[in-house]
Amino acid sequence: MTSDPVDPYIFTSDSLPSDPRFMPPLVNGLLGWRVFDSIMHMSEVYNGEGGTCHRGNIPCPLAVQVKTAEVGRHTYKLDMHTGIFSHTVVTPRFEATQVLYAHRQQSNLLVTEVLLKRFETSAEPITIQLESSFKPQSDDIDFQNAADYKGGRHIFGQTVSSEIPGGIRPSVHLIWTPIASTLTLPPDQSQSSWVFLVALAGSDGSAKSCFDTGLGLIDTGDLHPSHLRSWAELWKGSSIEVMGDETLNRALIGCMFYLLSSFPSSIEESNGPFVFGGISPGGLSNGSKDEDYLGHVFWDQDTWMFPSVALFYPSLARAVLEYRVGTVEGAQANAQQMGYKGLKFAWESAGTGRDVCPEEIYAQQEVHINGDVVLAFQQYFYLTQDLEMFTEGRGSEVVWGVADYWVSRVTWDPTDQQYHIKGVIPPDEYYFTVDNSVFTNAVAQSSLQFAVELCGLLAQTAPPEWQDVADKIKIPFDPELKYHPEFDGYTQGSRVKQADVVLLGYPLTLPMTPEVRRNDLETYEAVTDPLGPAMTWGMFALGWLELGEAEKAQKLLQKCFKNIQKPFQVWSESADGSGCVNFLTGMGGFLQALLFGYTGFRVQKDHLAFAPLLPLDIDALSVRGVSYLGNKMDWCVKRAEVSVSVRKSGNKEPFALELVLNTGATIPLIPGESVTFPRQPGQIRRVNPGFYSPV
C-alpha cells in the first residue's frame, strides 16, 4: 500500500482492501454507492415495514471493473480533492484508466469514464474487458422494463412494502448507458475515451430530465469539469489541516471528505427534485437488510455529524434541520402512541419519522434523541441568527413540540422537590430502564430553555411550565465525590459503553468547576469499554483539552486510528474492524475533538468562544472557512500566536464582528485584513449595531 507523498488529499494503493466493506463510498447526499459494488442506494428509498425497514437495494450498472489480458501494474486512487476514484492499469503497450464519481452538482447522476491510451504505434488493436456484476433486479424493488430512452436502458418500480401500513411505497426510475463487455482502441487511434451514465430519480419525468442533463453535459464536454468545480468550491469554502503530523492530517481530511460527501449540494445547483433523507451512521452507501443499522437515522446525525459541518457550512447543515421538520408528523404520532404530548422524534428514523427501531425498548426509552434534535437547531441559530428557519422553515414547531413532550414526560417528586425522567436508556446503552439519566435530563433542560428563548424572539408567550421544569429538573450530582453519576443508582466503577456523562461539558456546556469536569473524565475514562464505538475517545480528548492537558488528549486521540481502515480512510465502528462501516459517527466525533478541541470553539448564545491549545507534536492548525453570522473566517493557530482573518463578502453584508481577548483587548475584524495576537482565550462577537459597508 502506498500514499501520495506530497498531496495529503490523495490516497493510493496497488491493491484493493481484502474486505470489500472497506471499499470507498462515493456519495453526494442523494445517491450512495460503494466502489465496484453491485448495489447502490437513493435517499429516502426504504423497503420493509416497521422494524424490518431498510435501505432498498438498487442495482448499479457501474459495477464493472477493467480487466486486461496482459499483465500490468495496477493503481487504485481516491482523490478527496475531487471525489473521484480511479483504477489505472499500465502494461508495456498501453494504459487503461477507469474513473468513477457520484456527480456533486447533478446529484441524480453516477458516472464512470474509461480512457484507453497506447504507448507506441501498432497495427494491432487494443482490447480491454469490462467485467460486470450488474443484474437489473432487486429483492427490495419490483422492477419492470420500460422502453429505451435516448440510447439508455430504463427500468422502474416501487419498493415491495411501505414503511408504515398503507403508506407510500417509494418509486425508483433507473436509466443508464449500456456498458459493453469489451472496449477496443483501433490501430489508427492513439487514445480514446468512453463515458457511461446512470440517472436515478423517483419519477419517469425526473429520471429522463436528469439523463438529458447528463447527455447535454457530455456533449458540451462539461460533465467531468462541472463535478470538479463543485468539489473545488466546497473545499474553497472550508478545510481543516494540521502541520507536524501527517497521519493525523490525513485522518482529518478523510473525515471532512466523507462527511461533506454525505450532505447535499445546494438545492439551487441540483437538477430535478431533491429529497434529503438524513444521514445514517454508515451513510448512503450502506444500510441494506441486516447491515449497518439498516440505513436508519439516529442521534448520530444531530450530535456527532452536524456540529462540524454547521460550523463551516450552515446552509448545508440546514438540510439536517429540514429533514427533522419533515418528520414532525411521525414524531407527533410517536408521542401519541406512547401517551405523551408534543413530539417524540424516532430513535431510529427513516422516511416518515415513525420509529422503525427493530427493538421496541430503544424506541420507548432512548428519549434523549429529542434534546439532541433541538440542540442542533439551537447551534444553527446561534451560528446564523436565521429566524426564518424557525418561522417559514417551521423550526419552532420542532422546538416547542419537544418542550411539550418533556413537560408531559417528567414526574414531580415531592421528596426532593424536583422533576424526574424515569425509565430511560442513556447514551450508554449498557443500562436500561434507569431513572434520571444525567445526560437525558441535562439535554431536556437545555431544550426547554431554548424553547423559552425562542418564544421571546418570536414575540410569543412561553407556557410557564417550560421554565418551571427547566429550573427544577434533577441533574444527578454526588457532592461528596464531586462527580456526576450517570443515573440514579449508578455505582462508580461500573463499566460503560461509550461517551455519556462526558458530553455534559461538551456539547451541552453544563456549568461545572474544573474539578468536577476532571472527576467526570477520570471516572468514566477508566471504565469505558475499549471496544466501544469510535466517537467516544474524541469526546474524552476534547474534555482534556478544555482542562489544558493537551498531551493526555493526544494519547486518547491515538486510539481512534485503530478504527481507520487503510488504504482509503474508511472508518469502522469498532477498533477490531467490526460493526458499522464508513462510520460517520466516529468521524464526526474525531473531527469535533480537533475542530472544537484544539481551537476551543464553543457556540454560545451571543458569541463564539475560543481557547486555542496545541499538543507538542502539532506545529500549527489551519481552519479555513469558519462561518459565523454570515462571515467566513480563516484561523491559523500556532504554539505562541493565533491569526484570524475575515473574508471579504460577496453581495450579502454580514454582521460586523469584533474579537475580544481575555486580557480585555477588543480588536475589530475588518474583512480582508488579518489580525494576529498572542495565543489566549477570547470570543468573537457581533458589533452592535450595523453592518460593514460593501468593500
PDB file of all heavy atoms in Angstrom, residues 28 30-31 62 101-111 175 196-201 206-207 209-215 217-218 223 226-227 271:
ATOM      1  N   ASN A  28     -23.231  11.644  -2.677  1.00  0.00           N
ATOM      2  CA  ASN A  28     -23.448  13.076  -2.918  1.00  0.00           C
ATOM      3  C   ASN A  28     -24.672  13.636  -2.194  1.00  0.00           C
ATOM      4  O   ASN A  28     -25.171  14.703  -2.525  1.00  0.00           O
ATOM      5  CB  ASN A  28     -23.548  13.367  -4.418  1.00  0.00           C
ATOM      6  CG  ASN A  28     -24.718  12.658  -5.076  1.00  0.00           C
ATOM      7  OD1 ASN A  28     -25.629  12.164  -4.418  1.00  0.00           O
ATOM      8  ND2 ASN A  28     -24.711  12.599  -6.410  1.00  0.00           N
ATOM      9  N   LEU A  30     -27.669  12.413  -2.199  1.00  0.00           N
ATOM     10  CA  LEU A  30     -28.864  11.790  -2.774  1.00  0.00           C
ATOM     11  C   LEU A  30     -28.606  10.338  -3.142  1.00  0.00           C
ATOM     12  O   LEU A  30     -29.441   9.470  -2.901  1.00  0.00           O
ATOM     13  CB  LEU A  30     -29.327  12.549  -4.020  1.00  0.00           C
ATOM     14  CG  LEU A  30     -30.558  11.961  -4.725  1.00  0.00           C
ATOM     15  CD1 LEU A  30     -31.789  12.070  -3.835  1.00  0.00           C
ATOM     16  CD2 LEU A  30     -30.813  12.656  -6.058  1.00  0.00           C
ATOM     17  N   LEU A  31     -27.429  10.063  -3.708  1.00  0.00           N
ATOM     18  CA  LEU A  31     -27.054   8.718  -4.122  1.00  0.00           C
ATOM     19  C   LEU A  31     -25.838   8.260  -3.334  1.00  0.00           C
ATOM     20  O   LEU A  31     -24.957   9.064  -3.005  1.00  0.00           O
ATOM     21  CB  LEU A  31     -26.737   8.678  -5.618  1.00  0.00           C
ATOM     22  CG  LEU A  31     -27.802   9.229  -6.572  1.00  0.00           C
ATOM     23  CD1 LEU A  31     -27.302   9.149  -8.014  1.00  0.00           C
ATOM     24  CD2 LEU A  31     -29.115   8.487  -6.408  1.00  0.00           C
ATOM     25  N   LEU A  62     -22.911   0.485 -12.946  1.00  0.00           N
ATOM     26  CA  LEU A  62     -21.478   0.809 -12.991  1.00  0.00           C
ATOM     27  C   LEU A  62     -20.622  -0.195 -12.227  1.00  0.00           C
ATOM     28  O   LEU A  62     -19.428   0.051 -12.002  1.00  0.00           O
ATOM     29  CB  LEU A  62     -21.241   2.213 -12.421  1.00  0.00           C
ATOM     30  CG  LEU A  62     -21.997   3.356 -13.097  1.00  0.00           C
ATOM     31  CD1 LEU A  62     -21.530   4.697 -12.544  1.00  0.00           C
ATOM     32  CD2 LEU A  62     -21.807   3.322 -14.610  1.00  0.00           C
ATOM     33  N   TYR A 101     -17.449   8.446 -10.220  1.00  0.00           N
ATOM     34  CA  TYR A 101     -17.831   9.508  -9.280  1.00  0.00           C
ATOM     35  C   TYR A 101     -19.346   9.647  -9.201  1.00  0.00           C
ATOM     36  O   TYR A 101     -20.074   9.356 -10.158  1.00  0.00           O
ATOM     37  CB  TYR A 101     -17.185  10.849  -9.637  1.00  0.00           C
ATOM     38  CG  TYR A 101     -17.368  11.353 -11.049  1.00  0.00           C
ATOM     39  CD1 TYR A 101     -18.363  12.283 -11.357  1.00  0.00           C
ATOM     40  CD2 TYR A 101     -16.512  10.943 -12.075  1.00  0.00           C
ATOM     41  CE1 TYR A 101     -18.496  12.777 -12.652  1.00  0.00           C
ATOM     42  CE2 TYR A 101     -16.649  11.425 -13.370  1.00  0.00           C
ATOM     43  CZ  TYR A 101     -17.646  12.347 -13.645  1.00  0.00           C
ATOM     44  OH  TYR A 101     -17.787  12.839 -14.926  1.00  0.00           O
ATOM     45  N   ALA A 102     -19.795  10.061  -8.021  1.00  0.00           N
ATOM     46  CA  ALA A 102     -21.178  10.492  -7.820  1.00  0.00           C
ATOM     47  C   ALA A 102     -21.171  11.996  -8.056  1.00  0.00           C
ATOM     48  O   ALA A 102     -20.519  12.740  -7.314  1.00  0.00           O
ATOM     49  CB  ALA A 102     -21.640  10.163  -6.401  1.00  0.00           C
ATOM     50  N   HIS A 103     -21.862  12.443  -9.089  1.00  0.00           N
ATOM     51  CA  HIS A 103     -21.737  13.838  -9.519  1.00  0.00           C
ATOM     52  C   HIS A 103     -22.153  14.782  -8.395  1.00  0.00           C
ATOM     53  O   HIS A 103     -23.244  14.667  -7.837  1.00  0.00           O
ATOM     54  CB  HIS A 103     -22.584  14.083 -10.761  1.00  0.00           C
ATOM     55  CG  HIS A 103     -22.097  15.232 -11.590  1.00  0.00           C
ATOM     56  ND1 HIS A 103     -22.254  16.550 -11.206  1.00  0.00           N
ATOM     57  CD2 HIS A 103     -21.431  15.259 -12.779  1.00  0.00           C
ATOM     58  CE1 HIS A 103     -21.726  17.339 -12.129  1.00  0.00           C
ATOM     59  NE2 HIS A 103     -21.207  16.577 -13.099  1.00  0.00           N
ATOM     60  N   ARG A 104     -21.263  15.697  -8.062  1.00  0.00           N
ATOM     61  CA  ARG A 104     -21.506  16.576  -6.920  1.00  0.00           C
ATOM     62  C   ARG A 104     -22.569  17.631  -7.218  1.00  0.00           C
ATOM     63  O   ARG A 104     -23.335  18.013  -6.325  1.00  0.00           O
ATOM     64  CB  ARG A 104     -20.190  17.270  -6.517  1.00  0.00           C
ATOM     65  CG  ARG A 104     -20.298  18.196  -5.323  1.00  0.00           C
ATOM     66  CD  ARG A 104     -20.585  17.452  -4.047  1.00  0.00           C
ATOM     67  NE  ARG A 104     -21.165  18.326  -3.030  1.00  0.00           N
ATOM     68  CZ  ARG A 104     -21.678  17.924  -1.890  1.00  0.00           C
ATOM     69  NH1 ARG A 104     -21.694  16.640  -1.593  1.00  0.00           N
ATOM     70  NH2 ARG A 104     -22.200  18.763  -1.024  1.00  0.00           N
ATOM     71  N   GLN A 105     -22.625  18.103  -8.443  1.00  0.00           N
ATOM     72  CA  GLN A 105     -23.589  19.147  -8.787  1.00  0.00           C
ATOM     73  C   GLN A 105     -24.914  18.552  -9.252  1.00  0.00           C
ATOM     74  O   GLN A 105     -25.977  18.978  -8.815  1.00  0.00           O
ATOM     75  CB  GLN A 105     -23.016  20.054  -9.881  1.00  0.00           C
ATOM     76  CG  GLN A 105     -23.913  21.234 -10.223  1.00  0.00           C
ATOM     77  CD  GLN A 105     -23.382  21.999 -11.420  1.00  0.00           C
ATOM     78  OE1 GLN A 105     -23.503  21.563 -12.554  1.00  0.00           O
ATOM     79  NE2 GLN A 105     -22.758  23.148 -11.155  1.00  0.00           N
ATOM     80  N   GLN A 106     -24.852  17.585 -10.136  1.00  0.00           N
ATOM     81  CA  GLN A 106     -26.053  16.923 -10.643  1.00  0.00           C
ATOM     82  C   GLN A 106     -26.266  15.651  -9.820  1.00  0.00           C
ATOM     83  O   GLN A 106     -25.800  14.571 -10.173  1.00  0.00           O
ATOM     84  CB  GLN A 106     -25.895  16.617 -12.132  1.00  0.00           C
ATOM     85  CG  GLN A 106     -25.532  17.810 -12.985  1.00  0.00           C
ATOM     86  CD  GLN A 106     -26.608  18.895 -12.957  1.00  0.00           C
ATOM     87  OE1 GLN A 106     -27.776  18.611 -12.732  1.00  0.00           O
ATOM     88  NE2 GLN A 106     -26.212  20.142 -13.180  1.00  0.00           N
ATOM     89  N   SER A 107     -26.984  15.797  -8.717  1.00  0.00           N
ATOM     90  CA  SER A 107     -26.990  14.763  -7.687  1.00  0.00           C
ATOM     91  C   SER A 107     -27.671  13.471  -8.104  1.00  0.00           C
ATOM     92  O   SER A 107     -27.509  12.450  -7.435  1.00  0.00           O
ATOM     93  CB  SER A 107     -27.671  15.308  -6.425  1.00  0.00           C
ATOM     94  OG  SER A 107     -27.046  16.489  -5.981  1.00  0.00           O
ATOM     95  N   ASN A 108     -28.429  13.468  -9.170  1.00  0.00           N
ATOM     96  CA  ASN A 108     -29.106  12.259  -9.627  1.00  0.00           C
ATOM     97  C   ASN A 108     -28.227  11.399 -10.536  1.00  0.00           C
ATOM     98  O   ASN A 108     -28.704  10.390 -11.062  1.00  0.00           O
ATOM     99  CB  ASN A 108     -30.385  12.622 -10.398  1.00  0.00           C
ATOM    100  CG  ASN A 108     -31.396  13.352  -9.533  1.00  0.00           C
ATOM    101  OD1 ASN A 108     -31.220  14.531  -9.212  1.00  0.00           O
ATOM    102  ND2 ASN A 108     -32.440  12.667  -9.127  1.00  0.00           N
ATOM    103  N   LEU A 109     -26.970  11.796 -10.737  1.00  0.00           N
ATOM    104  CA  LEU A 109     -26.111  11.110 -11.699  1.00  0.00           C
ATOM    105  C   LEU A 109     -24.937  10.399 -11.046  1.00  0.00           C
ATOM    106  O   LEU A 109     -24.255  10.961 -10.165  1.00  0.00           O
ATOM    107  CB  LEU A 109     -25.558  12.109 -12.723  1.00  0.00           C
ATOM    108  CG  LEU A 109     -26.575  12.892 -13.563  1.00  0.00           C
ATOM    109  CD1 LEU A 109     -25.850  13.823 -14.517  1.00  0.00           C
ATOM    110  CD2 LEU A 109     -27.502  11.945 -14.325  1.00  0.00           C
ATOM    111  N   LEU A 110     -24.684   9.170 -11.503  1.00  0.00           N
ATOM    112  CA  LEU A 110     -23.429   8.460 -11.270  1.00  0.00           C
ATOM    113  C   LEU A 110     -22.735   8.303 -12.613  1.00  0.00           C
ATOM    114  O   LEU A 110     -23.400   8.105 -13.644  1.00  0.00           O
ATOM    115  CB  LEU A 110     -23.666   7.082 -10.660  1.00  0.00           C
ATOM    116  CG  LEU A 110     -24.183   6.986  -9.229  1.00  0.00           C
ATOM    117  CD1 LEU A 110     -24.381   5.522  -8.857  1.00  0.00           C
ATOM    118  CD2 LEU A 110     -23.225   7.639  -8.256  1.00  0.00           C
ATOM    119  N   VAL A 111     -21.400   8.366 -12.583  1.00  0.00           N
ATOM    120  CA  VAL A 111     -20.650   8.376 -13.837  1.00  0.00           C
ATOM    121  C   VAL A 111     -19.433   7.460 -13.740  1.00  0.00           C
ATOM    122  O   VAL A 111     -18.768   7.403 -12.697  1.00  0.00           O
ATOM    123  CB  VAL A 111     -20.163   9.809 -14.180  1.00  0.00           C
ATOM    124  CG1 VAL A 111     -19.449   9.828 -15.527  1.00  0.00           C
ATOM    125  CG2 VAL A 111     -21.323  10.810 -14.169  1.00  0.00           C
ATOM    126  N   ILE A 175     -32.180   4.904 -15.388  1.00  0.00           N
ATOM    127  CA  ILE A 175     -31.814   4.949 -16.813  1.00  0.00           C
ATOM    128  C   ILE A 175     -30.291   4.957 -16.900  1.00  0.00           C
ATOM    129  O   ILE A 175     -29.635   5.734 -16.187  1.00  0.00           O
ATOM    130  CB  ILE A 175     -32.391   6.200 -17.504  1.00  0.00           C
ATOM    131  CG1 ILE A 175     -33.916   6.268 -17.327  1.00  0.00           C
ATOM    132  CG2 ILE A 175     -32.040   6.203 -18.989  1.00  0.00           C
ATOM    133  CD1 ILE A 175     -34.548   7.522 -17.903  1.00  0.00           C
ATOM    134  N   PHE A 196     -19.999   6.552 -19.430  1.00  0.00           N
ATOM    135  CA  PHE A 196     -21.209   5.793 -19.126  1.00  0.00           C
ATOM    136  C   PHE A 196     -21.939   6.492 -17.981  1.00  0.00           C
ATOM    137  O   PHE A 196     -21.340   6.856 -16.971  1.00  0.00           O
ATOM    138  CB  PHE A 196     -20.866   4.356 -18.742  1.00  0.00           C
ATOM    139  CG  PHE A 196     -20.086   3.642 -19.809  1.00  0.00           C
ATOM    140  CD1 PHE A 196     -18.695   3.518 -19.712  1.00  0.00           C
ATOM    141  CD2 PHE A 196     -20.721   3.112 -20.923  1.00  0.00           C
ATOM    142  CE1 PHE A 196     -17.968   2.867 -20.687  1.00  0.00           C
ATOM    143  CE2 PHE A 196     -19.998   2.459 -21.915  1.00  0.00           C
ATOM    144  CZ  PHE A 196     -18.624   2.342 -21.802  1.00  0.00           C
ATOM    145  N   LEU A 197     -23.230   6.624 -18.156  1.00  0.00           N
ATOM    146  CA  LEU A 197     -24.041   7.481 -17.304  1.00  0.00           C
ATOM    147  C   LEU A 197     -25.141   6.665 -16.640  1.00  0.00           C
ATOM    148  O   LEU A 197     -25.736   5.784 -17.259  1.00  0.00           O
ATOM    149  CB  LEU A 197     -24.668   8.569 -18.176  1.00  0.00           C
ATOM    150  CG  LEU A 197     -25.220   9.842 -17.553  1.00  0.00           C
ATOM    151  CD1 LEU A 197     -24.109  10.616 -16.858  1.00  0.00           C
ATOM    152  CD2 LEU A 197     -25.854  10.691 -18.652  1.00  0.00           C
ATOM    153  N   VAL A 198     -25.423   6.972 -15.374  1.00  0.00           N
ATOM    154  CA  VAL A 198     -26.568   6.402 -14.665  1.00  0.00           C
ATOM    155  C   VAL A 198     -27.376   7.550 -14.083  1.00  0.00           C
ATOM    156  O   VAL A 198     -26.816   8.438 -13.420  1.00  0.00           O
ATOM    157  CB  VAL A 198     -26.126   5.462 -13.529  1.00  0.00           C
ATOM    158  CG1 VAL A 198     -27.341   4.982 -12.733  1.00  0.00           C
ATOM    159  CG2 VAL A 198     -25.353   4.276 -14.077  1.00  0.00           C
ATOM    160  N   ALA A 199     -28.681   7.554 -14.323  1.00  0.00           N
ATOM    161  CA  ALA A 199     -29.578   8.563 -13.749  1.00  0.00           C
ATOM    162  C   ALA A 199     -30.630   7.862 -12.909  1.00  0.00           C
ATOM    163  O   ALA A 199     -31.257   6.898 -13.360  1.00  0.00           O
ATOM    164  CB  ALA A 199     -30.244   9.389 -14.851  1.00  0.00           C
ATOM    165  N   LEU A 200     -30.817   8.347 -11.676  1.00  0.00           N
ATOM    166  CA  LEU A 200     -31.831   7.808 -10.776  1.00  0.00           C
ATOM    167  C   LEU A 200     -32.753   8.928 -10.336  1.00  0.00           C
ATOM    168  O   LEU A 200     -32.296  10.038 -10.036  1.00  0.00           O
ATOM    169  CB  LEU A 200     -31.213   7.191  -9.522  1.00  0.00           C
ATOM    170  CG  LEU A 200     -30.641   5.784  -9.617  1.00  0.00           C
ATOM    171  CD1 LEU A 200     -29.196   5.853 -10.069  1.00  0.00           C
ATOM    172  CD2 LEU A 200     -30.726   5.105  -8.256  1.00  0.00           C
ATOM    173  N   ALA A 201     -34.034   8.642 -10.263  1.00  0.00           N
ATOM    174  CA  ALA A 201     -35.000   9.614  -9.751  1.00  0.00           C
ATOM    175  C   ALA A 201     -36.255   8.867  -9.336  1.00  0.00           C
ATOM    176  O   ALA A 201     -36.388   7.658  -9.556  1.00  0.00           O
ATOM    177  CB  ALA A 201     -35.316  10.687 -10.800  1.00  0.00           C
ATOM    178  N   SER A 206     -38.627  12.897 -14.104  1.00  0.00           N
ATOM    179  CA  SER A 206     -37.393  13.375 -13.467  1.00  0.00           C
ATOM    180  C   SER A 206     -36.181  12.583 -13.930  1.00  0.00           C
ATOM    181  O   SER A 206     -35.110  13.141 -14.186  1.00  0.00           O
ATOM    182  CB  SER A 206     -37.515  13.290 -11.944  1.00  0.00           C
ATOM    183  OG  SER A 206     -38.476  14.192 -11.459  1.00  0.00           O
ATOM    184  N   ALA A 207     -36.343  11.261 -14.030  1.00  0.00           N
ATOM    185  CA  ALA A 207     -35.216  10.432 -14.469  1.00  0.00           C
ATOM    186  C   ALA A 207     -34.798  10.808 -15.889  1.00  0.00           C
ATOM    187  O   ALA A 207     -33.595  10.921 -16.188  1.00  0.00           O
ATOM    188  CB  ALA A 207     -35.594   8.958 -14.393  1.00  0.00           C
ATOM    189  N   SER A 209     -35.308  13.681 -17.398  1.00  0.00           N
ATOM    190  CA  SER A 209     -34.727  15.021 -17.366  1.00  0.00           C
ATOM    191  C   SER A 209     -33.279  14.982 -16.895  1.00  0.00           C
ATOM    192  O   SER A 209     -32.403  15.650 -17.458  1.00  0.00           O
ATOM    193  CB  SER A 209     -35.560  15.921 -16.448  1.00  0.00           C
ATOM    194  OG  SER A 209     -34.950  17.179 -16.280  1.00  0.00           O
ATOM    195  N   CYS A 210     -33.007  14.169 -15.868  1.00  0.00           N
ATOM    196  CA  CYS A 210     -31.639  14.050 -15.353  1.00  0.00           C
ATOM    197  C   CYS A 210     -30.725  13.392 -16.378  1.00  0.00           C
ATOM    198  O   CYS A 210     -29.562  13.799 -16.547  1.00  0.00           O
ATOM    199  CB  CYS A 210     -31.640  13.261 -14.049  1.00  0.00           C
ATOM    200  SG  CYS A 210     -32.517  14.067 -12.690  1.00  0.00           S
ATOM    201  N   PHE A 211     -31.232  12.372 -17.052  1.00  0.00           N
ATOM    202  CA  PHE A 211     -30.443  11.709 -18.089  1.00  0.00           C
ATOM    203  C   PHE A 211     -30.152  12.687 -19.225  1.00  0.00           C
ATOM    204  O   PHE A 211     -29.024  12.745 -19.744  1.00  0.00           O
ATOM    205  CB  PHE A 211     -31.199  10.487 -18.601  1.00  0.00           C
ATOM    206  CG  PHE A 211     -30.357   9.544 -19.420  1.00  0.00           C
ATOM    207  CD1 PHE A 211     -29.338   8.806 -18.844  1.00  0.00           C
ATOM    208  CD2 PHE A 211     -30.596   9.389 -20.781  1.00  0.00           C
ATOM    209  CE1 PHE A 211     -28.566   7.927 -19.598  1.00  0.00           C
ATOM    210  CE2 PHE A 211     -29.835   8.508 -21.540  1.00  0.00           C
ATOM    211  CZ  PHE A 211     -28.817   7.779 -20.952  1.00  0.00           C
ATOM    212  N   ASP A 212     -31.160  13.483 -19.587  1.00  0.00           N
ATOM    213  CA  ASP A 212     -30.958  14.508 -20.618  1.00  0.00           C
ATOM    214  C   ASP A 212     -29.865  15.491 -20.201  1.00  0.00           C
ATOM    215  O   ASP A 212     -29.008  15.876 -21.014  1.00  0.00           O
ATOM    216  CB  ASP A 212     -32.252  15.294 -20.859  1.00  0.00           C
ATOM    217  CG  ASP A 212     -33.288  14.497 -21.633  1.00  0.00           C
ATOM    218  OD1 ASP A 212     -32.916  13.484 -22.260  1.00  0.00           O
ATOM    219  OD2 ASP A 212     -34.472  14.892 -21.597  1.00  0.00           O
ATOM    220  N   THR A 213     -29.916  15.890 -18.936  1.00  0.00           N
ATOM    221  CA  THR A 213     -28.900  16.827 -18.436  1.00  0.00           C
ATOM    222  C   THR A 213     -27.512  16.226 -18.564  1.00  0.00           C
ATOM    223  O   THR A 213     -26.559  16.879 -18.999  1.00  0.00           O
ATOM    224  CB  THR A 213     -29.184  17.190 -16.974  1.00  0.00           C
ATOM    225  OG1 THR A 213     -30.450  17.853 -16.893  1.00  0.00           O
ATOM    226  CG2 THR A 213     -28.103  18.103 -16.413  1.00  0.00           C
ATOM    227  N   GLY A 214     -27.396  14.938 -18.185  1.00  0.00           N
ATOM    228  CA  GLY A 214     -26.103  14.270 -18.301  1.00  0.00           C
ATOM    229  C   GLY A 214     -25.624  14.185 -19.734  1.00  0.00           C
ATOM    230  O   GLY A 214     -24.446  14.448 -20.033  1.00  0.00           O
ATOM    231  N   LEU A 215     -26.530  13.832 -20.653  1.00  0.00           N
ATOM    232  CA  LEU A 215     -26.154  13.763 -22.066  1.00  0.00           C
ATOM    233  C   LEU A 215     -25.724  15.130 -22.587  1.00  0.00           C
ATOM    234  O   LEU A 215     -24.755  15.244 -23.363  1.00  0.00           O
ATOM    235  CB  LEU A 215     -27.329  13.239 -22.899  1.00  0.00           C
ATOM    236  CG  LEU A 215     -27.749  11.786 -22.664  1.00  0.00           C
ATOM    237  CD1 LEU A 215     -28.974  11.443 -23.512  1.00  0.00           C
ATOM    238  CD2 LEU A 215     -26.603  10.823 -22.969  1.00  0.00           C
ATOM    239  N   LEU A 217     -24.391  17.548 -20.850  1.00  0.00           N
ATOM    240  CA  LEU A 217     -23.068  17.869 -20.299  1.00  0.00           C
ATOM    241  C   LEU A 217     -21.971  17.084 -21.016  1.00  0.00           C
ATOM    242  O   LEU A 217     -20.849  17.580 -21.189  1.00  0.00           O
ATOM    243  CB  LEU A 217     -23.047  17.576 -18.800  1.00  0.00           C
ATOM    244  CG  LEU A 217     -23.876  18.527 -17.930  1.00  0.00           C
ATOM    245  CD1 LEU A 217     -23.988  17.995 -16.506  1.00  0.00           C
ATOM    246  CD2 LEU A 217     -23.247  19.921 -17.922  1.00  0.00           C
ATOM    247  N   ILE A 218     -22.285  15.852 -21.423  1.00  0.00           N
ATOM    248  CA  ILE A 218     -21.310  15.082 -22.211  1.00  0.00           C
ATOM    249  C   ILE A 218     -21.057  15.779 -23.545  1.00  0.00           C
ATOM    250  O   ILE A 218     -19.905  15.935 -23.986  1.00  0.00           O
ATOM    251  CB  ILE A 218     -21.816  13.640 -22.434  1.00  0.00           C
ATOM    252  CG1 ILE A 218     -21.837  12.873 -21.111  1.00  0.00           C
ATOM    253  CG2 ILE A 218     -20.936  12.918 -23.454  1.00  0.00           C
ATOM    254  CD1 ILE A 218     -22.495  11.497 -21.198  1.00  0.00           C
ATOM    255  N   LEU A 223     -19.380  17.495 -18.320  1.00  0.00           N
ATOM    256  CA  LEU A 223     -19.828  16.565 -17.283  1.00  0.00           C
ATOM    257  C   LEU A 223     -18.783  16.442 -16.181  1.00  0.00           C
ATOM    258  O   LEU A 223     -19.078  16.662 -14.997  1.00  0.00           O
ATOM    259  CB  LEU A 223     -20.117  15.194 -17.903  1.00  0.00           C
ATOM    260  CG  LEU A 223     -20.655  14.141 -16.927  1.00  0.00           C
ATOM    261  CD1 LEU A 223     -22.035  14.522 -16.430  1.00  0.00           C
ATOM    262  CD2 LEU A 223     -20.690  12.750 -17.586  1.00  0.00           C
ATOM    263  N   SER A 226     -17.784  20.058 -14.524  1.00  0.00           N
ATOM    264  CA  SER A 226     -18.780  20.640 -13.606  1.00  0.00           C
ATOM    265  C   SER A 226     -18.721  19.951 -12.246  1.00  0.00           C
ATOM    266  O   SER A 226     -18.927  20.581 -11.201  1.00  0.00           O
ATOM    267  CB  SER A 226     -20.185  20.529 -14.204  1.00  0.00           C
ATOM    268  OG  SER A 226     -20.544  19.183 -14.463  1.00  0.00           O
ATOM    269  N   HIS A 227     -18.440  18.661 -12.230  1.00  0.00           N
ATOM    270  CA  HIS A 227     -18.238  17.933 -10.973  1.00  0.00           C
ATOM    271  C   HIS A 227     -17.004  18.465 -10.240  1.00  0.00           C
ATOM    272  O   HIS A 227     -17.048  18.715  -9.030  1.00  0.00           O
ATOM    273  CB  HIS A 227     -18.082  16.447 -11.267  1.00  0.00           C
ATOM    274  CG  HIS A 227     -17.662  15.624 -10.098  1.00  0.00           C
ATOM    275  ND1 HIS A 227     -18.524  15.251  -9.090  1.00  0.00           N
ATOM    276  CD2 HIS A 227     -16.444  15.098  -9.760  1.00  0.00           C
ATOM    277  CE1 HIS A 227     -17.868  14.542  -8.188  1.00  0.00           C
ATOM    278  NE2 HIS A 227     -16.609  14.430  -8.573  1.00  0.00           N
ATOM    279  N   ASN A 271     -30.192  19.437 -10.289  1.00  0.00           N
ATOM    280  CA  ASN A 271     -31.221  19.340 -11.320  1.00  0.00           C
ATOM    281  C   ASN A 271     -32.314  18.407 -10.830  1.00  0.00           C
ATOM    282  O   ASN A 271     -32.089  17.381 -10.344  1.00  0.00           O
ATOM    283  CB  ASN A 271     -30.623  18.782 -12.612  1.00  0.00           C
ATOM    284  CG  ASN A 271     -30.153  17.347 -12.432  1.00  0.00           C
ATOM    285  OD1 ASN A 271     -29.317  17.054 -11.577  1.00  0.00           O
ATOM    286  ND2 ASN A 271     -30.687  16.435 -13.211  1.00  0.00           N
TER     287      ASN A 271
END
